[in-house]
Amino acid sequence: MPDRNAKAKILVTRRTFPEAAERLREASDATIWDDEGDSPDHAALVDAARDIDGLYAHITNQVDAEVMDAARNLKVITEFGVGYDNIDTAAATERGIAVANTPGILSESTADEAFALLMALARRVHDLPQIVTSGQWGDFDPLAYLATDIHHKTLGIVGMGNIGSEVARRAQGFDMHVLYHNRNRREEEFGAEYVASLHELLERSDFVSLHNPLTPETEGLMGAEQFKQMKPTAFLINTTRGPVVDQEALYDALKSGEIAGAALDVVVPEPLPADHPLLTLDNCLVMPHVASATNDTRLKMAMMCVDNVLAGVAGKWPPFCVNRSAIEGRSRLEGKA
Ligand code: DGY
C-alpha cells in the first residue's frame, strides 16, 4: 500500500537558488544535485530517477524514454528554460507525463543579450580591446579600427516569438529596419516587416538574429547555401540552439569572408573545446550559453520550475505545461487543474 503521507520525491539535476530549494524541501522529498561540477550523466540520471514523482531538469539532461521508463511514478518534468528540445516530449506524452518549461520570463534577458552581441560585433567590442591590452594601439588613424553602424541598418529576425519580438522592440530604439520570418505572419509589431522567405530575409539583412526553437525542421537551418545568401558585410547572431547552425559551414563562411562575423551564445558541443576552430577566428565571438543568466531572471526561472514540479506531483497541471492538450485524459496526473 502506498504511504498516503509520504512526500513526493523530486529530483533537481543541478544546484539551485536557496529560495527555490527551501520551497521544494518544505513541500516534498527533494534531492538536489548540488555538486558544483557536472550534472548527472545519462546513466546516473536513469538511476537517480527510479522512484521520483517529479523531475526538474536542465539543458544538459537528455530526458528520453529510458529515463521515463525507469521512473515508473513520474508525473511531471519541468525544464529550467524555454527550450525543451532535450526532453522527448512525444515519449512523455505517450506515457501521460506532463512537460513544462519557463516561457516569457526570460524573453527580455535573452533579447538583451542578443542585442549586446549585435552591438559587440558591429562596434568591435569583442576584438578592439586586445589592440589596447597587447600594446598595439598606435597614433590616431582615421582609417583604423573601423566598425559598422547599427542605426538605420536592417535586422532580420528569424522566429518572431516572445524573444524575437523583444529584439525587434530594442531595434526600434536604434532606428533599425526590422524584417522577420516566421511560420505564421504576426500582427505587425514594432514596425517589423514580414518576409515570406528566409532567402529574402538573408539577402536584405545587415544583421541576422536567430530565435526559432530547435526542431527537426530547424536543425541546420543556417548552412552553406544560407551563408551565400547573406551580404558579405552581414553578421549572424545565434542565441537559440547550436544545432540550428551548421558550424562547419559557418567556419568556412567566416574564414572566407562570405559573411562579416558571428556571435554565438549557443554552439555544438557545449562546452566548446578551447581548441575549436571557431575560436581561432577574430570575427567570431562565442559566449558560454548565458542569454538568460542574470540574477533576477534565473531566480524567476527557478521559482517557475518549482511551481511546475510541485503542481505536477500534487496531481495538478503545471502552470506552464507544454503538452497538456496532447495528454488530457491519459495522464499520470489525475487531471485536477
Ligand atoms: C532556454 O531557456 O532555452 C535557455 O537557452 C536555457 O536553456
Side-chain angles (χ1 to χ4, degrees):
M1 277 283 281
D3 175 357
R4 292 187 148 273
N5 296 321
K7 284 185 166 177
K9 288 192 188 319
I10 292 174
L11 174 65
V12 184
T13 63
R14 287 301 258 159
R15 62 191 176 138
T16 186
F17 291 85
E19 297 90 323
E22 197 179 313
R23 273 193 59 211
L24 285 168
R25 287 195 168 117
E26 266 166 27
S28 71
D29 175 2
T31 302
I32 299 177
W33 202 275
D34 57 3
D35 182 343
E36 286 187 27
D38 298 334
S39 53
D41 65 16
H42 193 258
L45 181 60
V46 170
D47 204 39
R50 288 198 193 285
D51 58 353
I52 62 170
D53 304 282
L55 177 62
Y56 173 157
H58 298 79
I59 180 86
T60 41
N61 310 126
Q62 282 311 313
V63 187
D64 55 14
E66 195 184 346
V67 174
M68 297 175 205
D69 288 337
R72 306 298 302 174
N73 302 326
L74 190 61
K75 298 178 185 66
V76 57
I77 304 165
T78 183
E79 173 74 14
F80 180 78
V82 68
Y84 51 91
D85 45 279
N86 55 311
I87 300 175
D88 186 340
T89 311
T93 300
E94 261 171 45
R95 290 159 179 76
I97 300 170
V99 176
N101 67 342
T102 64
I105 200 74
L106 47 73
S107 304
E108 289 173 275
S109 296
T110 304
D112 286 347
E113 200 227 21
F115 221 84
L117 294 178
L118 180 157
M119 293 180 74
L121 279 176
R123 297 310 311 259
R124 303 187 51 187
V125 175
H126 67 298
D127 70 322
L128 289 183
Q130 287 152 28
I131 305 279
V132 181
T133 51
S134 65
Q136 294 171 59
W137 184 6
D139 271 353
F140 176 78
D141 175 353
L143 299 188
Y145 315 142
L146 298 182
T148 303
D149 274 332
I150 298 164
H151 59 272
H152 300 126
K153 293 287 165 100
T154 299
L155 167 63
I157 296 179
V158 183
M160 191 68 148
N162 292 336
I163 299 171
S165 307
E166 287 297 336
V167 173
R169 192 149 73 91
R170 281 152 183 73
Q172 242 192 346
F174 280 79
D175 290 327
M176 297 184 86
H177 180 62
V178 180
L179 308 175
Y180 75 97
H181 175 68
N182 200 43
R183 264 173 317 180
N184 319 307
R185 188 179 184 137
R186 299 193 32 161
E187 288 285 298
E188 297 297 315
E189 282 178 327
F190 313 119
E193 178 193 343
Y194 173 73
V195 284
S197 80
L198 178 61
H199 187 148
E200 182 184 345
L201 178 138
L202 297 175
E203 275 186 346
R204 291 175 57 195
S205 297
D206 300 301
F207 300 89
V208 174
S209 193
L210 304 178
H211 299 287
N212 44 351
L214 174 62
T215 63
E217 293 74 45
T218 63
E219 185 165 350
L221 181 77
M222 292 298 295
E225 198 187 320
Q226 286 67 35
F227 295 125
K228 282 192 181 46
Q229 292 162 4
M230 287 174 68
K231 300 180 187 179
T233 49
F235 297 96
L236 176 76
I237 297 114
N238 186 13
T239 54
T240 176
R241 285 290 182 264
V244 174
V245 173
D246 173 342
Q247 271 176 198
E248 280 181 27
L250 175 63
Y251 175 84
D252 292 342
L254 289 168
K255 181 95 183 157
S256 65
E258 201 157 64
I259 68 170
L264 312 170
D265 184 61
V266 285
V267 284
V268 182
E270 292 178 11
L272 195 68
D275 61 355
H276 192 279
L278 277 176
L279 301 178
T280 63
L281 301 174
D282 286 344
N283 56 352
C284 185
L285 161 57
V286 180
M287 292 285 279
H289 197 151
V290 286
S292 67
T294 65
N295 282 308
D296 293 344
T297 295
R298 284 279 168 93
L299 175 59
K300 287 179 195 152
M301 288 164 68
M303 290 313 208
M304 280 169 90
C305 284
V306 172
D307 290 342
N308 280 332
V309 75
L310 289 182
V313 298
K316 298 180 184 155
W317 290 106
F320 304 99
C321 190
V322 299
N323 61 346
R324 176 170 176 163
S325 56
I327 60 172
E328 205 124 34
R330 290 188 290 130
S331 175
R332 288 184 195 172
L333 305 179
E334 285 153 23
K336 289 177 266 164

